[in-house]
Amino acid sequence: MSSRTFQFRLRSSHGGPELTTQSVVVERLSEEGVWQQQNPSFSTPPFRLHLMSLLLCLQFHLVGEARERQIPLQQLVADLTVTVANSWDLEAVVATFQLRLDPGASAEARAHASDEAIGAMRERMLHSPVPRNRPAAVPMTLNIALQN
């Protein structure tokens, strides 16, 4: 039985004291190797919507945790790779998030993005509704790193 791989990437920008999300762009790597912007609609294949919801759920909870911890998040870049069997069953999920902090923020504010805070973000993301409801046998790797 062979597998298929789906790849998505997300870029979002945030600003202000409330970390208001100013823009979110989600793209999918097509079978032809071209990144295509995704604009969910009623014509979007349901499985693709499912995978996009996984990525957006993770992003939503990461930004929420950053807001609560007053981390001066400026930009978020994420990659999601999902491997599925020919039967469309999930086999593995790998998500990588890179955070760029506001360079104009004080050193004190930037220090809120400690290893402990990043760990708490990761836990919140892992326990958010969409990833939590994947089958227990499907491994999920979740990486979060600060960009310099």
Side-chain angles (χ1 to χ4, degrees):
M1 182 181 283
S2 62
S3 299
R4 298 180 69 178
T5 300
F6 292 87
Q7 290 181 271
F8 292 85
R9 66 184 180 190
L10 176 146
R11 290 182 313 275
S12 61
S13 60
H14 310 273
E18 295 298 316
L19 285 184
T20 304
T21 300
Q22 298 167 341
S23 69
V24 177
V25 175
V26 175
E27 297 174 305
R28 177 186 70 92
L29 188 61
S30 71
E31 290 78 20
E32 296 79 28
V34 177
W35 286 102
Q36 300 173 328
Q37 187 166 339
Q38 300 297 289
N39 296 306
S41 69
F42 288 116
S43 64
T44 304
F47 189 73
R48 189 179 308 164
L49 288 171
H50 174 68
L51 297 179
M52 289 169 50
S53 70
L54 172 60
L55 180 56
L56 290 168
C57 186
L58 291 168
Q59 184 260 0
F60 178 85
H61 288 281
L62 184 148
V63 172
E65 188 72 21
R67 184 178 298 119
E68 289 174 16
R69 292 178 174 275
Q70 299 177 336
I71 295 171
L73 181 63
Q74 181 182 52
Q75 186 178 41
L76 171 63
V77 177
D79 293 300
L80 176 70
T81 302
V82 179
T83 306
V84 300
N86 278 340
S87 61
W88 295 96
D89 293 325
L90 297 176
E91 292 182 332
V93 176
V94 177
T96 301
F97 287 80
Q98 296 204 7
L99 314 176
R100 181 176 301 144
L101 302 181
D102 181 352
S106 69
E108 181 181 333
R110 294 171 62 84
H112 291 167
S114 64
D115 289 343
E116 178 186 332
I118 299 296
M121 289 173 149
R122 186 176 182 284
E123 283 303 307
R124 182 169 178 177
M125 292 165 74
L126 286 171
H127 293 98
S128 61
V130 179
R132 186 180 66 225
N133 282 296
R134 74 185 187 286
V138 176
M140 180 169 177
T141 303
L142 178 58
N143 299 305
I144 304 171
L146 292 175
Q147 286 183 339
N148 293 331

